[in-house]
Amino acid sequence: MKKYTFRVYQHPSWKRLLLLLFLFTALVSSAQVRLFLISDTHVMSPKLLVKDGKAWQNYLAGDRKMEDKSAEMFNALIDTVLKEKPAAVLISGDLTKDGSKLSHEYVVSKLDTLLKARIPTFVVPGNHDLGTPNAVYFDGDSTKKAEIIYAAEFANLYRDFGYDSLSVRDLYSLSYIRPLCKGVKLLGIDSNTGQISNSTLKWLCDQVVQAKKEGYQVIAMMHHPLMEHITGINHFLPTSVIKNDTTVRARLMESGVHLILTGHFHTSDIGKDYNTNKTDSIYDINTGSTITYPCYFRELTISSDLSHIDVITRNLTRIGSCADLKAYSKKRITDYILNHIKSVARSRLGIPPSLIPSSIVKAVADAYIVHSDGNENLQDTKSLFQSLKIPMMFSSSVRTVIKSMLGNITMYGTDHANVTNDLRLTIPLR
């Protein structure tokens, strides 16, 4: 197993002073602690668009993310944080578009403004952040490779955002544990490859056990979901959840983790699972991408007695180039889904798009919107169920996915099945 080697950087004096000041304040404060949780920002440095043209437009047409708005939307998030001044910001991976060095440097430059304002940020990498082959410059009709970064460079670039000397680090991954506020530690889990090695999982659990012995509550954060938020989805999208999720979930729960913050799936859902005899539970707060409808982020408030955490879901409503971001992003994702269904039907199934009933195409797009909004069980989905109820066309596994998704049911079809509020919830920490 590869052991990472990291260069040690000394913080500039102002950064070290701010970090120590925050840590001292956080550790002695007994008031409520308000955090912002953001995921999947997929920031693309403006420098990567050399010249608009066919290459860039084709990319946008084939991707559900609004990459063309990513930098502007990230700037708007930073402005919101500066205005509202939460105690800290947490970002659960996929900070950049395909891990280009330029995009990482852009993100870090913006996070530095938060640090200067005494608002610390802690990050973990996602699958788009390290060593991907897709980081490119767009130049008219063509693309060319852009410089990317790997684990050691990530730790050095984000040394002020989770990878400094105040964190205890795993030797074989970008995982860490550190104080977050009085009585609470943050467990940052590196899942950028879609899996966690046995040695890292043991390290994570050992750190949690030790923290609990010392009297801390532990909140975990990683990029990939810890559980299937739509039952059966991993059959169709094998990377939609952490590999060996059942084992990882059980081990973390047993060690004392009751709450994990995740991203990756680009829709917001809060799921829950139990141990075998239902004497313990763990919540997965899965937060959607800020550059995919409806542009959600979360506000978390840890109670002063550390007994619970309140979750409120918010979204970006406007940016400089778009006064009604919700309506704009809804149209963007709907248009993408409609075109994507036709493209898949033609290229993978050999079905002419004209033969696909328009009612089915519309129902699929509407179902995605309902799921993206969250709390599907509180919406009127009867007509959607009817439109998608075609036994001759859909297998039992597809019907399971539909019932789980539109019913907002985690662990659908099992004795652990449950429904949670996706947008506003109070979760016990102990």
Side-chain angles (χ1 to χ4, degrees):
M1 181 176 294
K2 181 178 179 180
K3 181 176 179 180
Y4 290 128
T5 302
F6 301 99
R7 294 172 62 190
V8 177
Y9 282 76
Q10 291 295 318
H11 290 294
S13 57
W14 67 268
K15 288 185 177 180
R16 179 175 291 274
L17 181 60
L18 288 176
L19 283 169
L20 292 175
L21 181 61
F22 163 74
L23 182 62
F24 174 77
T25 303
L27 292 179
V28 300
S29 174
S30 59
Q32 291 182 335
V33 176
R34 189 168 67 112
L35 312 169
F36 275 13
L37 170 61
I38 299 167
S39 192
D40 294 80
T41 52
H42 290 276
V43 176
M44 174 180 161
S45 168
K47 294 179 181 178
L48 292 175
L49 182 56
V50 178
K51 182 181 178 181
D52 194 358
K54 186 177 180 180
W56 178 232
Q57 293 305 317
N58 285 346
Y59 174 81
L60 291 177
D63 194 89
R64 62 175 171 162
K65 303 184 296 295
M66 299 187 295
E67 291 282 8
D68 51 324
K69 304 288 187 184
S70 62
E72 185 181 8
M73 293 175 77
F74 192 67
N75 295 344
L77 283 167
I78 295 297
D79 289 342
T80 301
V81 173
L82 290 171
K83 179 181 179 180
E84 299 198 22
K85 294 183 170 26
V89 175
L90 308 176
I91 306 180
S92 54
D94 276 1
L95 295 99
T96 64
K97 182 188 181 305
D98 299 319
S100 72
K101 186 175 182 179
L102 283 173
S103 296
H104 279 296
E105 289 174 343
Y106 187 92
V107 169
V108 168
S109 72
K110 297 301 177 179
L111 298 186
D112 272 340
T113 66
L114 300 185
L115 191 57
K116 290 178 182 177
R118 300 183 182 180
I119 306 170
T121 301
F122 305 114
V123 309
V124 289
N127 57 295
H128 281 271
D129 287 325
L130 301 174
T132 76
N134 301 319
V136 297
Y137 291 91
F138 294 91
D139 191 359
D141 293 345
S142 63
T143 62
K144 61 179 181 180
K145 294 291 184 181
E147 185 178 358
I148 55 180
I149 69 169
Y150 295 89
E153 294 161 287
F154 185 94
N156 288 332
L157 274 172
Y158 292 94
R159 58 190 176 273
D160 296 319
F161 308 106
Y163 294 92
D164 58 15
S165 59
L166 300 179
S167 289
V168 177
R169 293 280 310 281
D170 175 37
L171 292 176
Y172 302 101
S173 74
L174 288 167
S175 302
Y176 61 84
I177 190 167
R178 64 179 296 128
L180 178 61
C181 61
K182 183 180 180 182
V184 180
K185 285 193 173 184
L186 174 67
L187 184 72
I189 303 174
D190 174 10
S191 73
N192 83 87
T193 62
Q195 60 185 342
I196 301 172
S197 70
N198 290 333
S199 62
T200 292
L201 181 58
K202 182 181 184 303
W203 181 88
L204 293 167
C205 293
D206 288 346
Q207 294 301 315
V208 174
V209 169
Q210 182 60 37
K212 299 290 282 188
K213 286 181 179 178
E214 295 170 359
Y216 288 95
Q217 299 296 338
V218 177
I219 294 175
M221 175 173 70
M222 73 176 178
H223 183 62
H224 290 76
L226 187 63
M227 62 187 70
E228 283 188 318
H229 289 261
I230 302 174
T231 303
I233 194 64
N234 206 43
H235 174 74
F236 301 97
L237 300 170
T239 61
S240 62
V241 66
I242 194 71
K243 189 174 181 179
N244 297 326
D245 59 302
T246 302
T247 299
V248 175
R249 192 163 62 248
R251 292 278 302 278
L252 288 175
M253 195 189 321
E254 183 181 9
S255 69
V257 175
H258 302 291
L259 176 68
I260 189 164
L261 315 173
T262 65
H264 184 61
F265 203 60
H266 284 226
T267 56
S268 295
D269 188 276
I270 299 179
K272 180 183 181 182
D273 194 19
Y274 308 88
N275 60 357
T276 304
N277 57 10
K278 295 187 179 181
T279 58
D280 203 359
S281 62
I282 187 167
Y283 285 85
D284 182 345
I285 302 179
N286 186 241
T287 300
S289 169
T290 54
I291 63 168
T292 306
Y293 173 86
C295 312
Y296 279 149
F297 65 97
R298 312 270 199 184
E299 181 179 318
L300 312 177
T301 302
I302 303 173
S303 64
S304 57
D305 64 356
L306 307 183
S307 63
H308 63 273
I309 186 166
D310 292 321
V311 182
I312 298 175
T313 305
R314 300 172 53 181
N315 58 345
L316 280 177
T317 58
R318 63 181 299 154
I319 52 177
S321 65
C322 184
D324 188 348
L325 190 56
K326 185 172 184 179
Y328 175 81
S329 61
K330 184 176 183 178
K331 185 179 186 307
R332 283 280 296 261
I333 193 64
T334 301
D335 289 346
Y336 165 77
I337 292 170
L338 296 178
N339 292 328
H340 184 65
I341 291 173
K342 296 175 183 178
S343 175
V344 169
R346 181 190 297 111
S347 62
R348 298 184 186 178
L349 304 177
I351 301 174
S354 61
L355 295 182
I356 303 175
S358 59
S359 60
I360 295 296
V361 176
K362 182 179 184 303
V364 172
D366 289 346
Y368 186 89
I369 294 299
V370 167
H371 178 60
S372 296
D373 285 336
N375 284 346
E376 304 92 319
N377 58 304
L378 302 181
Q379 303 182 53
D380 184 2
T381 58
K382 291 181 181 178
S383 61
L384 277 177
F385 271 115
Q386 290 301 316
S387 297
L388 295 171
K389 190 176 181 181
I390 308 177
M392 295 302 293
M393 289 183 63
F394 288 159
S395 66
S396 61
S397 57
V398 173
R399 292 197 297 274
T400 294
V401 166
I402 293 171
K403 290 178 180 179
S404 176
M405 180 178 76
L406 294 182
N408 191 27
I409 305 171
T410 306
M411 308 293 168
Y412 173 81
T414 75
D415 63 351
H416 285 192
N418 65 88
V419 175
T420 57
N421 190 306
D422 295 328
L423 305 182
R424 193 180 187 103
L425 191 65
T426 296
I427 298 175
L429 286 178
R430 58 188 179 195

